[in-house]
Amino acid sequence: MLPTRVLLYGKDEPLPERIPLRAGPLNLIWEAGDLRSIKLGEIEIVRRIYVAVRDRDWGTAPPVMANLAMEVGADAFHIVFDVTNRGQADIDFTWRGEITGEPHGTIRFSMDGVAQNTFLRNRIGFCILHPDHIAGTRARVAHIDGSSEEGRLPTRLVHTQPVLPFAEMTGMTHEVEPGVWAELRFTGDTFEMEDQRNWTDASYKTFCTPLRLPYPMEVTAGTRIAQAVTLTLRVQRAATVKAEVATDEATFTLNRHALPMPLPQIGLGMASHGAPLSPTEIIRLRALHPAHLRVDLTLSDAGYPARFLQAAREAAALGAAVEAALFVSPEHAAAQFAALSATDAETLSHVARWLVYPERESFGGGTPLVEVLEPARHALPGYSRAPILSGTNADFIFLARSVPPLDLVDGLTFAITPQVHAFDNASIVETLGTQGQAVANAQALAGGRPVFVSPITLKMRYNAYATGPVAPTPAGQLPPQVDPRQMSLLLAGWTAASIKHIAEAGATGVTYYETTGWRGVMETASGAPLPEQFRSIPDGVFPVYHVLADVGEFSAGTIIASRSSDPLAFDGLVLCRSEEVRVILANLTAETRTVIVRGLHGVAALRVLDAGNAETAMREPEACRVAPMTHQVIPATGLPVELSPYAMLHIDAH
């Protein structure tokens, strides 16, 4: 039997304790050394304040806390603690944190640290996340030269850094509601802002040190770094501070008046472990009705023809097409495309689209796209009639900074991972709504051409921001591309909500994860290579398999817009086929929640996937999918449902 916590979120470890705090009218959460969700009533002012230690490749040196002491009152608090950050590249940095909350609504967070040895760093210091719902809000900026400037938080994604006028800052103030302003002051370094929505983080991030300064920078042993962030409410005379928390009921509502939208073509990535699919795996994967199978082909690699052939055979067995991602050397593009012509016609006939990228991309812009797209446009139509797409094999910001010439492509593509800047469960969930924003911004760049998101993966597949060679994974540790949450209920719910936001934004297609293995939707017969760290069931499926099966059964249908009253707590999608409606609703938290589903009528057929039956559903997916469903008459006021932690609910109705 798998432990409940493994089923919920992949590890048999308790989640960090979340302690509610008050600073006068402000509500907030303390979690593992960070301040989260600072609110005035229901209005979130700051999403998170934390200290980050980033190595030369932007990797995060994990914090270890000690000597925690807390004094918590009804409207004030005082917290002190010690932290050690150790990571790769010999990072060893220790610091003392102190946080105070005052009854009049002021919060101060300070850190005072010392480098215990000499190392290279890209960043050490505070990060302040501003929630994306403040887009368009008025703000005032205090600059290091003593000047001030007014502006607004951007609504469209801004790919240039820093976001102006939020540069060279010692402070900023933004409007919370008429007459109420939140003032942030920074000491110890110079701060600036970036638009993290480019990586699907649902926030703007104010951070230090400015990126205009060279990095990585050497920090010598004994170097002291001390900083502080102070948040203060500024209330004008005519304003009244309202600190009450709303108690509205939780609802998930179908927008029955909106026009249904086509469901994107949903496919899978080819397994990176390289082993061919077994007959059992093929049967199970066919039940997902995948539209395509993505295969990555580096044309400078002599072994790519065999992988291309394997992909074509597996795609045919799955009843899917091939999405062929080609990685091309700009200097040898013509010769590499000429060699590709030796591929047999049967293999080429399975290609639904070509995704063409240079072997290396530039984060700062200037990726050599023309050098690979011009020979691709000349050569590929002679091999197959599949459309040619390009953009980036990495995050949306690469696409925004290097847009392919539209006369050379038939569509744009970019990839998504929710773990570029933050890695906890709540931060992963926060990325969901921003996926749709990224698709919408890509569509604005595409000039009416289709947008494909390929692939979406739980972890980064490679470090596109590295400044040095990739360090080998220590023995006994999971590779950086692998996350034990891949086999959890958390990922299943996250994927359901991801499909909702990607589809409602109008993406034409999307590729999720891989077919099998610890980066896939089901485990291989031999099981995970590190079963103690990745506790999957050999030859079993992962909970996300059932989400994709539920969606795959409606692959010829449409999606209906829906709204969650609290999308960071629960969300889902609504599928339609003729008069049939299918709702897939997910609890995205570790707390039990009651939700009222509105917009359905008649009798609902329900099936739950939660910690109580997840292991059975993983071991016996076929039996699970044909098991009898429970039925319930839908009240006129909506269907009330209870969702246990990270539970999934499948509802069929009309």
Side-chain angles (χ1 to χ4, degrees):
M1 293 288 291
L2 292 176
T4 296
R5 292 186 295 213
V6 170
L7 295 169
L8 294 179
Y9 47 81
K11 289 185 177 181
D12 192 17
E13 299 173 0
L15 294 175
E17 185 179 10
R18 295 171 63 89
I19 300 175
L21 303 172
R22 288 288 296 267
L26 297 178
N27 304 283
L28 63 151
I29 298 293
W30 154 275
E31 182 181 55
D34 300 351
L35 298 183
R36 305 189 75 131
S37 194
I38 303 175
K39 293 182 176 182
L40 176 65
E42 284 296 288
I43 303 174
E44 188 176 33
I45 297 172
V46 173
R47 177 148 293 172
R48 188 179 178 193
I49 303 176
Y50 64 102
V51 173
V53 178
R54 312 284 197 201
D55 65 25
R56 63 171 298 159
D57 294 325
W58 296 107
T60 300
V64 177
M65 187 185 303
N67 304 321
L68 173 64
M70 304 183 73
E71 299 175 14
V72 179
D75 59 356
F77 59 88
H78 181 231
I79 305 171
V80 292
F81 55 97
D82 295 323
V83 173
T84 298
N85 293 87
R86 291 193 178 98
Q88 295 183 2
D90 298 322
I91 285 181
D92 191 348
F93 183 76
T94 60
W95 54 279
R96 184 165 182 80
E98 182 174 10
I99 311 175
T100 57
E102 303 294 342
H104 57 271
T106 293
I107 298 169
R108 186 176 190 272
F109 191 163
S110 66
M111 63 87 72
D112 192 343
V114 177
Q116 300 301 311
N117 61 355
T118 298
F119 55 85
L120 294 176
R121 63 85 173 159
N122 284 352
R123 176 175 302 151
I124 295 179
F126 277 108
C127 295
I128 302 94
L129 305 188
H130 314 272
D132 61 348
H133 71 75
I134 68 173
T137 298
R138 291 194 297 162
R140 302 166 184 154
V141 178
H143 295 296
I144 58 173
D145 62 2
S147 65
S148 61
E149 190 173 359
E150 293 196 2
R152 289 184 180 269
L153 276 298
T155 51
R156 293 198 56 174
L157 274 64
V158 176
H159 64 268
T160 55
Q161 292 176 284
V163 176
L164 298 178
F166 304 93
E168 308 295 312
M169 290 192 294
T170 59
M172 64 169 285
T173 306
H174 80 269
E175 190 175 34
V176 177
E177 58 183 21
V180 180
W181 294 73
E183 179 187 77
L184 284 159
R185 291 289 172 180
F186 319 120
T187 61
D189 204 336
T190 300
F191 286 73
E192 66 185 25
M193 180 184 288
E194 70 182 11
D195 189 345
Q196 287 202 137
R197 298 175 300 171
N198 285 286
W199 294 269
T200 69
D201 301 71
S203 58
Y204 311 91
K205 179 170 69 181
T206 295
F207 62 89
C208 62
T209 308
L211 292 176
R212 62 176 171 77
L213 299 178
Y215 62 85
M217 177 181 179
E218 184 178 77
V219 179
T220 57
T223 299
R224 182 186 174 208
I225 299 175
Q227 299 173 12
V229 176
T230 303
L231 169 65
T232 305
L233 278 186
R234 300 296 185 192
V235 183
Q236 297 173 354
R237 288 184 181 180
T240 302
V241 174
K242 299 177 181 179
E244 296 81 10
V245 176
T247 57
D248 294 340
E249 61 187 6
T251 58
F252 181 78
T253 306
L254 286 64
N255 185 350
R256 297 194 297 175
H257 301 292
L259 291 175
M261 296 162 286
L263 189 65
Q265 303 167 33
I266 299 176
L268 299 168
M270 192 174 174
S272 54
H273 56 66
L277 295 176
S278 70
T280 298
E281 291 167 347
I282 289 171
I283 292 171
R284 286 181 168 173
L285 291 169
R286 282 183 66 91
L288 307 186
H289 303 280
H292 58 267
L293 181 67
R294 170 174 163 142
V295 58
D296 288 12
L297 305 172
T298 299
L299 299 191
S300 61
D301 181 357
Y304 84 80
R307 186 158 178 81
F308 197 2
L309 177 61
Q310 179 185 348
R313 289 173 174 171
E314 291 186 354
L318 297 176
V322 171
E323 180 178 83
L326 307 180
F327 297 88
V328 186
S329 167
E331 298 81 7
H332 307 290
Q336 289 177 352
F337 282 119
L340 184 66
S341 66
T343 304
D344 69 89
E346 177 64 21
T347 298
L348 293 171
S349 69
H350 290 283
V351 177
R353 71 193 67 89
W354 304 102
L355 277 52
V356 179
Y357 310 108
E359 284 188 345
R360 293 180 179 84
E361 299 187 58
S362 171
F363 176 54
T367 296
L369 289 166
V370 173
E371 291 85 339
V372 298
L373 285 172
E374 284 186 340
R377 178 56 67 184
H378 175 75
L380 291 178
Y383 310 155
S384 77
R385 296 182 180 180
I388 299 171
L389 281 70
S390 190
T392 177
N393 188 45
D395 304 295
F396 171 82
I397 194 167
F398 283 83
L399 171 63
R401 291 181 172 182
S402 296
V403 181
L406 296 183
D407 61 328
L408 295 179
V409 296
D410 302 305
L412 297 184
T413 181
F414 66 98
I416 287 176
T417 174
Q419 296 188 82
V420 176
H421 299 110
F423 316 98
D424 59 283
N425 294 351
S427 295
I428 289 173
V429 169
E430 289 168 5
T431 66
L432 289 164
T434 320
Q435 294 181 11
Q437 294 183 50
V439 170
N441 278 260
Q443 289 173 324
L445 300 173
R449 292 162 177 79
V451 170
F452 285 75
V453 183
S454 182
I456 294 180
T457 55
L458 183 54
K459 292 287 290 289
M460 293 173 63
R461 293 164 292 133
Y462 67 103
N463 188 350
Y465 311 94
T467 61
V470 178
T473 302
Q477 292 188 18
L478 292 176
Q481 302 89 350
V482 176
D483 190 319
R485 287 172 290 195
Q486 187 78 26
M487 51 77 60
S488 72
L489 286 163
L490 168 60
L491 183 77
W494 187 90
T495 304
S498 170
I499 295 172
K500 173 245 186 73
H501 291 287
I502 294 289
E504 291 187 5
T508 300
V510 56
T511 304
Y512 281 100
Y513 317 127
E514 297 180 359
T515 51
T516 64
W518 54 13
R519 295 164 62 181
V521 300
M522 61 183 295
E523 188 54 275
T524 61
S526 58
L530 295 173
E532 293 303 314
Q533 287 88 349
F534 194 94
R535 300 179 67 175
S536 56
I537 299 169
D539 213 22
V541 306
F542 302 154
V544 67
Y545 172 95
H546 290 284
V547 172
L548 294 175
D550 284 348
V551 175
E553 290 171 354
F554 276 62
S555 59
T558 57
I559 188 164
I560 298 174
S562 58
R563 179 184 179 276
S564 165
S565 63
D566 190 354
L568 298 184
F570 60 91
D571 209 344
L573 74 157
V574 183
L575 305 166
C576 182
R577 182 179 58 196
S578 186
E579 294 298 314
E580 298 176 89
V581 173
R582 174 167 293 173
V583 176
I584 304 173
L585 185 62
N587 182 354
L588 302 172
T589 72
E591 292 80 40
T592 297
R593 298 186 178 275
T594 299
V595 179
I596 298 175
V597 180
R598 291 177 173 163
L600 302 175
H601 67 273
V603 176
L606 299 90
R607 179 171 62 229
V608 69
L609 180 63
D610 61 13
N613 65 355
E615 184 167 349
T616 300
M618 295 162 74
R619 294 182 183 276
E620 304 170 13
E622 293 82 5
C624 169
R625 300 201 59 76
V626 298
M629 301 174 71
T630 60
H631 292 78
Q632 185 174 336
V633 175
I634 302 171
T637 55
L639 178 67
V641 296
E642 184 174 272
L643 299 171
S644 60
Y646 296 112
M648 301 283 306
L649 184 63
H650 165 132
I651 307 171
D652 283 343
H654 293 275

